[in-house]
Amino acid sequence: MTHDRPLLCVENLKVYFQSNGARAHAVDGISFEVREKETVCIVGESGCGKTVSALSILGLIPTPPGEIVDGQIIFSGQNLINLDEKAMQKIRGNHISMVFQEPLTSLNPVFTIGDQIGEAVRTHQQIDTEALFQYCVQLLNDVGIPSPKQRINDYPHQLSGGQRQRVMIAMALACDPDLIIADEPTTALDVTVQAQILALLRSIQKKRSMSVLYISHDLGVVSAIADRIYVMYAGIMVEQGNTDQIFRSARHPYTQGLLASLPSPSKRGKRLHSIPGTVPNPAYKPKGCPFHPRCRQKILSCQQEYPGMCDYGEGHLARCPVLFKPKGYPG
Amino acid sequence: MESKNKNNHSILRIEGLKKYFPIRRGFLQKIHGWVKAVDGVSFEIEQGKTMGLVGESGCGKTTVARLILKLLESDAGKIIFQGHDIRRFSEKEMKPYRKEIQIIFQDPFGSLNPRMTIGQSIEEGIRILGNKHATNRKERLETLLSMVGMSSDSSDRYPHEFSGGQRQRIGIARALSVEPSLIVCDEPVSALDVSIQAQIINLLKDLQDQLGLSYLFISHDLNVVGYLCNTISVMYKGHIMEFASSEDIFNHPHHPYTISLLSAIPDPDPDIKWHVKPSNGHIGDSDVVPEGCKYQDRCTIAETACLKDKMVFEKVRENHFVRCWKAAKNHGSSPD
């Protein structure tokens, strides 16, 4: 299903924010790639730098206070970090588009949804009004809005949360992008609507052979849609692998802890595992491994040395040398 | 519940609770119609047990919570708490019961007064309970803080100095300060991260074991509810659609709405392939309520009879009720 050619390749990306004297290392040297036709998920808790990574791909980091300090973002052979604003606008919405978490705040309340979907097309292509109207109706139809010819003149407040998110997806699809970045698109929705939106994303991706970079904190959603998963903690990638590797044989204590702390009816009566403590403030991260203050398996060196990536083979990497046993090692 | 056996161990029993909100329109603000937010809800919570109330946003879950706490005046029905119908109680009659029922809110940021220290917030409840000695109060405050896993030096700090999970602990300590017997938890873990969520769920469980508390646990997250609750009520557009033990809801759901809700949960177990059976449409505006079954427009098994007949809450087996005549019939039981 997936191709091996990387469409997007992020290398050693560092994004820092200046806040009240202290420098917050929001994203601290992450690398990941999205291949063609692939769904890649970035999972992590709030404040781990997921959204900042997504915004920096599109050049949407507010500067100041934010700053991309180091790294490169290679998309179809060009480094997006070096592009000027004009060149970036050609990519944004056209080749890479984004679906945000809160559809009500990301849609403009004083324009009809038709205007807003058409805007991206008008910006990037020469198209006459009638053709544009037909195209927008088609898009609304594709994302499952009933009677699109009438709804196209609706304003965002006339739609329900799920329908607004469908409109956001239609906007993202408008220019037939190669990559859609979806930042928690279903977090604000009810489970039944969430299931509809996920099914929609999946079918559209298949039909249009796009890549999707999906950002979420919900491990259930991630296991349902991901081809490959990156687990982020405090600005770094702690583990990466395919869905099976992450959910069946997680190697990093953080990933293991996250999975064990999910409540479910099958765990009734048993005590839930919980990770003690809280996520560190990105401006005052602990030295060494950023997870060590909450880790039950830490050793002395965790407090001093920044952990390296350990390779478990077949693309499964985890940043925990303590638990690492090379292949063939007994036990 | 029309046919439910009266249980002496119940701490709270709700019967036919109703709340309609007027829709006013026009210059004169004439009443144009009614939003039937809670339309004849009945359930029961046993002493020391947890009942989950689940449903999509807008189904009336939070309104039920506010009616029980008498933060909203209900229109009809009974709220029987420890044997007394408190629904029509005056503010004065209500006073001894106020401390018995407490609430924990969803948003730990909006529910603490930013100008009061944590100590002041929690101590307010202890003072109202009639504890006149400052030293006793201080002692009690320290016990409460340690019960919820906070250090006693945090009592002089302000809410903004704490993280979401810590604030939720403070909210719990404040609820406990008046020694309640029933706590209404309105989405207490929805705003928290996964690792913090587990800490709070464990804390709620520990406190229940220690203090013998009863919980009404309101949530849209079926995994949390399934883990924590003894019984579950599934709510849709102001009605309870299904009531059963947690095991029965998850293993033998009867109502088509419950079935569609359960199938929509993405399961983090890769062994279970996720089959989405999205129910049609979404929860609509409560003011356009169809005749007959309220779920008819999204139901996959609806028949013409569902469009007109009023659904009754039928018993399908011991302690399992469903508001769907088809589901009840299919499972071979007679309505009683």
Side-chain angles (χ1 to χ4, degrees):
Chain A
M1 188 176 138
T2 55
H3 287 208
D4 279 322
R5 235 182 73 201
L7 176 70
L8 173 80
C9 189
V10 174
E11 269 167 45
N12 194 29
L13 180 71
K14 287 185 182 171
V15 187
Y16 293 172
F17 285 83
Q18 196 67 43
S19 70
N20 297 340
R23 211 167 189 213
H25 297 199
V27 171
D28 209 2
I30 60 164
S31 305
F32 64 94
E33 59 177 36
V34 183
R35 300 173 197 145
E36 280 177 8
K37 297 182 188 174
E38 190 184 40
T39 304
V40 170
C41 288
I42 298 182
V43 207
E45 295 179 284
S46 47
C48 74
K50 320 183 284 282
T51 301
V52 172
S53 329
L55 292 178
S56 50
I57 295 170
L58 286 165
L60 293 175
I61 296 290
T63 320
E67 190 191 358
I68 296 180
V69 183
D70 195 10
Q72 41 186 347
I73 300 170
I74 313 282
F75 176 77
S76 313
Q78 52 180 336
N79 190 347
L80 299 186
I81 287 178
N82 300 333
L83 290 185
D84 57 28
E85 187 55 30
K86 216 172 159 192
M88 198 62 217
Q89 275 178 5
K90 289 214 172 99
I91 297 209
R92 208 183 284 145
N94 200 10
H95 297 290
I96 308 178
S97 56
M98 187 146 177
V99 180
F100 293 94
Q101 174 174 354
E102 207 354 283
L104 191 56
T105 49
S106 11
L107 288 169
N108 191 329
V110 297
F111 288 99
T112 64
I113 55 170
D115 280 338
Q116 297 185 55
I117 297 170
E119 191 183 4
V121 188
R122 266 178 287 140
T123 312
H124 294 291
Q125 293 163 24
Q126 294 286 333
I127 188 165
D128 67 73
T129 322
E130 180 52 31
L132 182 63
F133 178 78
Q134 289 304 334
Y135 182 61
C136 290
V137 169
Q138 181 58 44
L139 277 172
L140 285 179
N141 193 41
D142 286 353
V143 296
I145 301 259
S147 50
K149 274 207 174 112
Q150 285 83 52
R151 301 319 288 273
I152 196 165
N153 293 319
D154 278 0
Y155 289 89
H157 74 267
Q158 292 170 287
L159 305 172
S160 71
Q163 284 177 326
R164 282 185 210 126
Q165 203 52 284
R166 286 175 195 267
V167 169
M168 287 295 292
I169 294 173
M171 282 170 72
L173 290 174
C175 288
D176 217 348
D178 308 306
L179 173 69
I180 285 194
I181 301 175
D183 186 5
E184 308 244 14
T186 60
T187 307
L189 305 175
D190 280 318
V191 274
T192 49
V193 182
Q194 167 172 288
Q196 293 169 11
I197 296 287
L198 292 179
L200 171 72
L201 267 176
R202 223 165 18 177
S203 80
I204 286 174
Q205 180 188 17
K206 248 189 203 148
K207 238 185 272 164
R208 304 199 175 207
S209 53
M210 297 178 311
S211 306
V212 175
L213 177 62
Y214 195 100
I215 292 167
S216 180
H217 71 279
D218 188 330
L219 288 157
V221 170
V222 166
S223 80
I225 61 163
D227 294 318
R228 283 191 308 117
I229 297 169
Y230 290 89
V231 183
M232 233 178 141
Y233 183 80
I236 63 168
M237 292 294 182
V238 293
E239 186 157 3
Q240 67 191 67
N242 63 31
T243 314
D244 260 16
Q245 289 162 344
I246 298 288
F247 282 91
R248 274 186 222 281
S249 52
R251 301 293 186 177
H252 196 279
Y254 177 62
T255 319
Q256 292 169 350
L258 271 189
L259 288 169
S261 59
L262 287 177
S264 81
S266 56
K267 290 184 190 163
R268 273 179 68 83
K270 291 176 215 154
R271 197 176 168 78
L272 273 189
H273 173 91
S274 66
I275 306 176
T278 50
V279 180
N281 182 333
Y284 305 99
K285 271 193 267 188
K287 223 179 131 205
C289 172
F291 186 62
H292 86 254
R294 304 176 73 186
C295 187
R296 291 200 172 119
Q297 313 191 50
K298 62 169 177 269
I299 55 172
L300 203 59
S301 69
C302 296
Q303 300 173 22
Q304 272 114 39
E305 287 160 37
Y306 183 73
M309 267 296 192
C310 306
D311 194 344
Y312 287 90
E314 292 164 17
H316 188 185
L317 303 170
R319 203 178 278 284
C320 184
V322 176
L323 294 190
F324 183 61
K325 294 187 185 81
K327 262 190 184 157
Y329 189 89
Chain B
M1 230 156 275
E2 292 93 342
S3 48
K4 202 150 177 236
N5 54 341
K6 308 262 181 291
N7 195 327
N8 291 333
H9 301 299
S10 75
I11 181 161
L12 178 76
R13 199 167 78 238
I14 304 288
E15 282 174 21
L17 196 65
K18 283 186 185 171
K19 179 70 190 175
Y20 295 177
F21 292 104
I23 309 168
R24 293 174 192 275
R25 285 207 187 123
F27 178 68
L28 293 173
Q29 292 287 293
K30 274 193 178 160
I31 294 176
H32 200 266
W34 298 92
V35 177
K36 298 181 177 178
V38 176
D39 197 8
V41 162
S42 308
F43 57 72
E44 191 172 41
I45 302 174
E46 278 176 48
Q47 180 82 47
K49 295 283 166 62
T50 306
M51 192 196 82
L53 187 58
V54 294
E56 294 171 279
S57 45
C59 73
K61 309 186 291 276
T62 300
T63 309
V64 169
R66 302 186 60 153
L67 292 176
I68 291 171
L69 285 147
K70 283 171 68 73
L71 296 173
L72 269 178
E73 211 50 57
S74 42
D75 295 333
K78 282 182 181 166
I79 305 172
I80 298 164
F81 179 73
Q82 292 178 340
H84 305 274
D85 185 0
I86 59 168
R87 190 178 82 82
R88 303 298 300 265
F89 270 18
S90 66
E91 220 19 71
K92 206 176 160 192
E93 287 169 301
M94 191 58 204
K95 198 151 188 224
Y97 294 97
R98 282 263 178 237
K99 69 173 195 58
E100 293 291 327
I101 315 176
Q102 287 295 309
I103 184 165
I104 304 167
F105 295 98
Q106 169 173 8
D107 177 14
F109 295 86
S111 52
L112 289 169
N113 188 339
R115 287 161 189 266
M116 280 164 93
T117 64
I118 302 312
Q120 286 167 341
S121 275
I122 300 172
E123 218 182 304
E124 203 176 18
I126 310 173
R127 205 174 52 235
I128 287 166
L129 203 57
N131 202 329
K132 297 224 162 51
H133 298 286
T135 38
N136 289 356
R137 285 210 298 267
K138 188 106 190 123
E139 242 168 60
R140 172 85 182 131
L141 174 65
E142 277 172 20
T143 335
L144 282 168
L145 282 173
S146 76
M147 258 157 115
V148 297
M150 306 261 306
S151 64
S152 54
D153 58 352
S154 48
S155 64
D156 294 329
R157 289 157 67 191
Y158 286 89
H160 72 265
E161 297 173 65
F162 294 96
S163 68
Q166 285 172 315
R167 283 182 216 211
Q168 206 54 290
R169 287 175 192 272
I170 295 161
I172 294 171
R174 190 178 54 176
L176 290 176
S177 68
V178 292
E179 298 168 20
S181 44
L182 172 71
I183 297 186
V184 177
C185 310
D186 190 3
E187 307 254 14
V189 296
S190 308
L192 306 175
D193 274 317
V194 188
S195 67
I196 310 298
Q197 184 178 311
Q199 295 174 4
I200 299 295
I201 291 173
N202 281 338
L203 174 64
L204 286 172
K205 267 205 111 133
D206 290 346
L207 291 171
Q208 182 165 46
D209 294 343
Q210 277 171 34
L211 307 170
L213 297 167
S214 312
Y215 293 133
L216 169 61
F217 195 90
I218 298 174
S219 180
H220 67 275
D221 189 331
L222 284 151
N223 278 326
V224 176
V225 169
Y227 171 77
L228 201 62
C229 299
N230 304 95
T231 52
I232 297 177
S233 291
V234 180
M235 199 169 172
Y236 185 79
K237 283 194 185 170
H239 274 317
I240 302 288
M241 291 308 202
E242 187 159 3
F243 171 85
S245 69
S246 208
E247 288 85 3
D248 280 351
I249 288 278
F250 277 86
N251 300 328
H252 314 285
H254 285 356
H255 199 283
Y257 178 60
T258 315
I259 296 169
S260 108
L261 263 187
L262 289 171
S263 77
I265 322 175
D267 200 301
D269 184 348
D271 283 332
I272 301 167
K273 265 274 155 263
W274 187 47
H275 297 294
V276 207
K277 280 179 268 166
S279 57
N280 312 317
H282 56 92
I283 193 159
D285 300 330
S286 305
D287 52 335
V288 266
V289 176
E291 261 185 80
C293 177
K294 296 206 175 186
Y295 187 59
Q296 53 173 270
D297 45 344
R298 294 170 72 181
C299 187
T300 44
I301 59 166
E303 286 181 14
T304 30
C306 301
L307 308 182
K308 280 209 286 299
D309 297 354
K310 217 169 154 50
M311 293 289 149
V312 283
F313 215 38
E314 291 180 38
K315 185 176 179 178
V316 286
R317 73 168 89 164
E318 193 54 45
N319 239 359
H320 193 153
F321 298 83
V322 62
R323 193 183 291 278
C324 175
W325 64 274
K326 281 196 86 174
K329 205 174 92 188
N330 289 348
H331 292 276
S333 61
S334 56
D336 53 354

